[in-house]
Amino acid sequence: MCTTVLVGKKASRTGSTMIARNCDTEAPIQPVKFVQVEENAVTSGTFHSVITHFSEAYPEQALGYQMIPFVEQETLGIFGEAGINSLNVAMSSTESIFGNPFVLAADPFTEEGLGEDALLTMVLPYITSAREGVEYVGKLIEKHGSHEGNGIIFSDKDDIWYMEIPCGHHWVAQRIPDDHCAVIANQSIIETVDFEDEANFMHSANIRTFVETHALNPEDDTFNFRQIFGTSNLQDRKYNTARVWYGQKILGKENASPTADDMPFTFEPAHRLTVDDVGRVLSSHFDETIYDPFSKGDEQAAHAFRPISMNRTAESHILEIRNNVDPEFAALFWLNSGPTAFNPYVPFYANSKDTSSLYNETSLTFDSNQAYWRARLLAVLVERDYDKLAFLNFGYLTSAKELAHQLILASDQEAENYTGEERKDFLTACNEKHAKKMNQLALDHIGALVEQGLGLSALTYDITKDI
């Protein structure tokens, strides 16, 4: 159950496309690792899902890419979740969505269908553009069907495509306008589909016939995908719409009510956006509103809606494809180990040979030397006395943003001195160096939290007050 933010290249300050998502799992502890998969790592045999009946032969050639899979894959599946391939095509999968009962009765999910566990592994290494990503998934859905309702995001340096699959075999995808952004929260959100506009919309074969045959369209003169295929119920208004309302509010779109069911899919932000703006949305918990779980006063309001930042966020990513630097180091993978409210985004060059030893060797049990577990330790320390430690954490997050941007700025400039394999080696070394510097900042913050937090202990006594 995730939250997604999309930013077109003309809506960003640097001309980058950005696709981002919080990956929220079912439990607070679900270890993941951040790894690099080499070019042509698997070129024969068949992929078999361990949680569905989906299987598909591996193509004979594969691009290199990153992914953030579960550590425990034998029983849980891979769930690669997000990555950027060696052609600077990014993919994030998935935003869970739900079709309504009428749609699912007519086109149910399939046991052998393509699911979230397999999507990144079976798609990202084989596509050369964001649009091709949609087409590639569409062919797999036509062949196997879908195992569950999914929203999938693709991007390259020019385009962002968002694809919704709310039922067994039918889907629609829309290109995000260059000057628009979007916030998505576990609910079908694509609105009117223009079937004549092939540059901006794609869809499954015979989708209009399917809708007409089963009398699914409540309107006569329009094809509103959200109304036809999606849901709008009490659970949506408690769990989903408020997140869209607050995310849009941060980015400059005011909507009257957090329970409104007619908020727009895409919109122009109030100003051109940065990675930090996207991170602010994904780290938010209805800050400075009565709906903030940390607010004091109206207890009912503070727990009325599900916040964006959650204790069970396994990881959060911002995939940025830049247009203002050399394409050979234009792709940045910003990774937040979560929970996002208390931890920063760490930048990694995607055009490299590896991530970092702090991120690619996560264990199933606690190890404070690993980024995944260190981030959870930090979060527990902050939230224990949030009212008293939030300001200290705010200072850390501010310093972390500054350091991250300094590291990328300096490395971008130095990367100009290298080409080919030497440049890849340099970027790989940068990933390790950046991760360690960001980790040291986190360790310093943990030290400060321990020192200040121990002073808040109830197990204290001042004898001078009783003399």
Side-chain angles (χ1 to χ4, degrees):
M1 298 299 182
C2 309
T3 306
T4 293
V5 180
L6 312 176
V7 180
K9 63 182 181 180
K10 291 183 180 179
S12 73
R13 191 185 299 178
T14 59
S16 304
T17 59
M18 290 183 280
I19 64 174
R21 183 171 59 89
N22 282 0
C23 176
D24 301 327
T25 54
E26 295 181 1
I29 300 297
Q30 187 60 74
V32 297
K33 57 184 178 179
F34 181 36
V35 298
Q36 182 82 28
V37 181
E38 294 181 355
E39 180 181 349
N40 293 324
V42 182
T43 57
S44 62
T46 302
F47 175 96
H48 295 282
S49 170
V50 301
I51 62 173
T52 76
H53 295 155
F54 173 81
S55 64
E56 175 73 8
Y58 287 106
E60 294 180 354
Q61 292 185 318
L63 299 169
Y65 65 102
Q66 303 87 36
M67 65 174 176
I68 323 173
F70 288 157
V71 174
E72 178 50 68
Q73 297 179 19
E74 291 186 6
T75 57
L76 299 178
I78 297 177
F79 286 86
E81 293 303 310
I84 305 172
N85 71 25
S86 53
L87 294 182
N88 289 356
V89 180
M91 177 179 179
S92 180
S93 58
T94 70
E95 179 74 32
S96 297
I97 61 170
F98 303 90
N100 64 58
F102 296 105
V103 168
L104 291 174
D107 184 21
F109 297 123
T110 66
E111 286 297 320
E112 68 279 6
L114 178 64
E116 181 176 356
D117 66 307
L119 264 160
L120 192 97
T121 303
M122 295 307 297
V123 176
L124 184 58
Y126 313 113
I127 58 176
T128 62
S129 70
R131 184 183 181 95
E132 187 179 331
V134 176
E135 295 169 343
Y136 199 96
V137 172
K139 291 176 182 177
L140 290 175
I141 296 298
E142 184 177 10
K143 180 179 180 181
H144 300 280
S146 181
H147 184 261
E148 72 257 339
N150 284 318
I152 309 168
I153 311 100
F154 298 98
S155 68
D156 52 39
K157 69 182 182 65
D158 293 315
D159 298 331
I160 298 173
W161 282 88
Y162 178 62
M163 180 182 193
E164 292 192 328
I165 313 168
C167 53
H169 299 85
H170 288 290
W171 56 270
V172 158
Q174 180 177 341
R175 182 184 181 276
I176 307 303
D178 290 340
D179 59 349
H180 278 211
C181 60
V183 179
I184 308 163
N186 298 132
Q187 195 175 15
S188 184
I189 198 169
I190 293 176
E191 299 173 280
T192 301
V193 178
D194 184 349
F195 289 98
E196 303 302 316
D197 186 0
E198 296 181 357
N200 293 296
F201 290 93
M202 289 187 276
H203 55 85
S204 55
N206 304 315
I207 188 171
R208 283 182 286 186
T209 301
F210 168 75
V211 169
E212 291 171 4
T213 300
H214 296 283
L216 298 173
N217 196 342
E219 305 289 340
D220 293 328
D221 56 353
T222 189
F223 194 98
N224 187 310
F225 189 77
R226 183 192 302 183
Q227 290 183 357
I228 298 169
F229 285 84
T231 60
S232 179
N233 53 45
L234 176 62
Q235 290 304 113
D236 288 321
R237 286 181 280 280
K238 289 178 67 68
Y239 198 84
N240 301 329
T241 60
R243 283 183 281 153
V244 176
W245 169 78
Y246 192 73
Q248 291 193 357
K249 179 181 177 69
I250 289 176
L251 301 181
K253 177 66 177 177
E254 293 285 349
N255 295 287
S257 169
T259 60
D261 61 2
D262 59 351
M263 286 179 276
F265 171 28
T266 71
F267 60 96
E268 292 186 37
H271 55 83
R272 287 184 291 175
L273 305 174
T274 66
V275 165
D276 290 353
D277 293 311
V278 176
R280 181 187 170 196
V281 174
L282 294 178
S283 302
S284 68
H285 42 85
F286 302 116
D287 314 48
E288 300 181 272
T289 76
I290 60 172
Y291 308 117
D292 187 344
F294 292 115
S295 66
K296 305 298 182 183
D298 191 336
E299 190 71 16
Q300 184 175 0
H303 299 284
F305 305 119
R306 201 216 98 158
I308 291 175
S309 181
M310 294 283 282
N311 65 335
R312 52 185 173 84
T313 298
E315 53 84 10
S316 178
H317 51 267
I318 304 172
L319 310 183
E320 181 183 18
I321 311 298
R322 301 179 292 172
N323 282 295
N324 61 345
V325 297
D326 191 307
E328 289 191 1
F329 54 91
L332 291 178
F333 194 123
W334 296 82
L335 179 59
N336 187 317
S337 294
T340 53
F342 314 115
N343 286 286
Y345 286 84
V346 178
F348 293 85
Y349 286 103
N351 309 103
S352 61
K353 296 180 179 180
D354 204 353
T355 58
S356 164
S357 58
L358 296 171
Y359 287 81
N360 60 19
E361 299 176 357
T362 307
S363 61
L364 287 172
T365 55
F366 181 81
D367 185 337
S368 61
N369 294 315
Q370 299 169 357
Y372 174 87
W373 291 108
R374 184 259 303 144
R376 275 143 192 79
L377 170 62
L378 190 155
V380 169
L381 290 173
V382 174
E383 191 170 351
R384 174 183 173 273
D385 288 289
Y386 184 76
D387 287 349
K388 297 180 176 65
L389 299 177
F391 185 75
L392 184 63
N393 184 242
F394 175 80
Y396 159 64
L397 293 174
T398 301
S399 297
K401 292 174 187 175
E402 182 179 344
L403 175 59
H405 290 303
Q406 286 176 346
L407 292 171
I408 291 299
L409 182 61
S411 298
D412 279 353
Q413 293 173 347
E414 192 172 351
E416 295 284 0
N417 299 324
Y418 301 91
T419 58
E421 288 300 305
E422 287 189 351
R423 178 177 279 174
K424 281 191 176 183
D425 290 337
F426 169 74
L427 298 178
T428 304
C430 285
N431 285 347
E432 184 71 14
K433 180 177 70 173
H434 296 173
K436 287 183 175 179
K437 287 191 174 184
M438 295 291 288
N439 185 64
Q440 186 58 54
L441 190 66
L443 290 174
D444 292 344
H445 181 46
I446 288 172
L449 290 170
V450 170
E451 182 176 348
Q452 188 164 331
L454 202 58
L456 300 173
S457 173
L459 297 176
T460 187
Y461 195 86
D462 188 351
I463 194 172
T464 61
K465 294 181 180 179
D466 297 305
I467 294 178

